């Protein structure tokens, strides 16, 4: 059996302000294997997005450990975490997070260029073709539909062939039919590349397509 690609070990997250201390996550503990698909589900405010941010190393736990590809994310500094994310992790957000001053093609090229890839334009164009947007390479995000913007975001996430893809409500800003198309594409790309997929969703149908469902209730994993 292969080693876990993600290991979340007794993670707690609390925040303190003038009104006291709020426990957002309490003793979260699970592992995910390479190529596994998992949905993090639960009510609004249950801590799902916070957990995803901690798995990405974008937020820090109050206690506990997260290992990504065997590396303890919080025993290394932020620069090392950022370098590890760049090599191993792709992101897809509800709000797309495209750069408005770059064309669709340039948005997809960006992570390749940051990684020093010499073939960034060719690889990005091929990935844009894979998501069905060859005719939109030179278009800026503001003239793309929501579904097109999310397909650009998928292309940007998968073009680096990440070991892990993290998606936070990837269909939250899309109508039902467009969301279905985007999710079909996401799962297809995931299978093709053998990526571990972790997604936060309110959509039970999307969650049911994943091999694992991790339900968060009041900051804990529900039995």
């Amino acid at each position: 059996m292969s080693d876990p690609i993600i290991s979340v070990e007794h993670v707690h997250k609390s925040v303190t302000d003038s009104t006291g201390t709020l426990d957002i996550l309490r003793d979260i503990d699970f592992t995910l294997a390479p190529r596994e698909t998992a949905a993090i589900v639960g009510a609004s405010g249950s801590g799902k997005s916070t957990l995803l941010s901690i798995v990405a190393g974008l937020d820090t736990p109050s206690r506990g450990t997260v290992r990504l590809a065997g590396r303890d994310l919080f025993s290394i500094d932020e620069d090392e975490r950022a370098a590890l994310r760049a090599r191993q992790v792709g992101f897809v957000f509800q709000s797309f997070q495209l750069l408005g001053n770059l064309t669709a093609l340039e948005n997809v090229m960006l992570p390749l260029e940051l990684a020093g890839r010499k073939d960034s334009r060719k690889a990005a164009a091929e990935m844009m073709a894979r998501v069905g947007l060859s005719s939109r390479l030179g278009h800026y995000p503001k003239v793309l539909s929501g579904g097109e913007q999310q397909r650009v975001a998928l292309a940007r996430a998968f073009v680096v062939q990440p070991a892990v893809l993290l998606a936070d409500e990837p269909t939250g800003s899309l109508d039902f039919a467009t969301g279905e198309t985007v999710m079909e594409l996401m799962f297809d790309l995931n299978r093709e590349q053998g990526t571990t997929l972790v997604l936060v969703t309110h959509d039970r149908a999307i969650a049911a397509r994943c091999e694992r469902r991790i339900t968060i209730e009041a900051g804990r994993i529900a039995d």
Side-chain angles (χ1 to χ4, degrees):
M1 186 175 177
S2 60
D3 291 334
I5 186 72
I6 296 170
S7 181
V8 177
E9 304 169 10
H10 303 294
V11 161
H12 295 251
K13 178 67 176 182
S14 302
V15 293
T16 302
D17 62 17
S18 58
T19 63
T21 298
L22 173 65
D23 294 321
I24 300 172
L25 296 173
R26 310 179 194 197
D27 200 26
I28 303 295
D29 199 84
F30 65 88
T31 61
L32 293 174
R35 308 178 75 94
E36 195 167 7
T37 58
I40 299 174
V41 298
S44 294
S46 59
K48 302 185 302 298
S49 292
T50 299
L51 175 57
L52 198 71
S53 293
I54 289 173
V55 169
L58 295 169
D59 194 1
T60 56
S62 303
R63 302 201 309 276
T65 303
V66 175
R67 299 183 199 279
L68 175 62
R71 295 288 302 278
D72 181 344
L73 288 181
F74 303 107
S75 68
I76 58 179
D77 65 29
E78 178 51 41
D79 287 344
E80 290 177 290
R81 279 200 294 276
L84 184 61
R85 278 195 297 271
R87 292 192 305 271
Q88 301 277 7
V89 182
F91 295 94
V92 178
F93 302 95
Q94 177 177 339
S95 56
F96 317 133
Q97 299 285 357
L98 301 178
L99 296 177
N101 62 327
L102 299 181
T103 66
L105 180 64
E106 289 166 344
N107 267 280
V108 179
M109 288 170 60
L110 186 59
L112 296 171
E113 292 186 324
L114 291 173
R117 285 269 296 270
K118 297 288 193 289
D119 64 338
S120 60
R121 182 171 293 274
K122 179 176 181 290
E126 288 173 352
M127 184 55 74
M128 285 285 284
R130 175 64 187 82
V131 301
L133 291 176
S134 287
S135 64
R136 307 294 259 169
L137 301 184
H139 291 71
Y140 289 90
K142 66 182 179 182
V143 300
L144 300 177
S145 69
E148 287 171 334
Q149 288 186 64
Q150 195 61 300
R151 280 190 281 159
V152 173
L154 280 180
R156 181 182 59 188
F158 278 105
V159 75
V160 296
Q161 298 188 317
V164 174
L165 182 79
L166 304 177
D168 193 357
E169 297 285 2
T171 62
S173 297
L174 306 175
D175 63 71
F176 176 78
T178 304
E180 286 282 293
T181 300
V182 165
M183 288 310 303
E184 195 67 42
L185 181 59
M186 178 182 287
F187 280 106
D188 285 349
L189 288 167
N190 194 68
R191 282 190 295 271
E192 288 168 20
Q193 294 195 2
T195 305
T196 299
L197 173 64
V198 186
L199 62 88
V200 166
T201 184
H202 283 96
D203 190 317
R204 291 182 180 181
I206 292 173
R209 295 184 63 170
C210 295
E211 296 160 318
R212 291 267 303 278
R213 277 166 295 289
I214 299 167
T215 302
I216 307 296
E217 290 182 1
R220 297 182 184 274
I221 294 181
D223 295 332

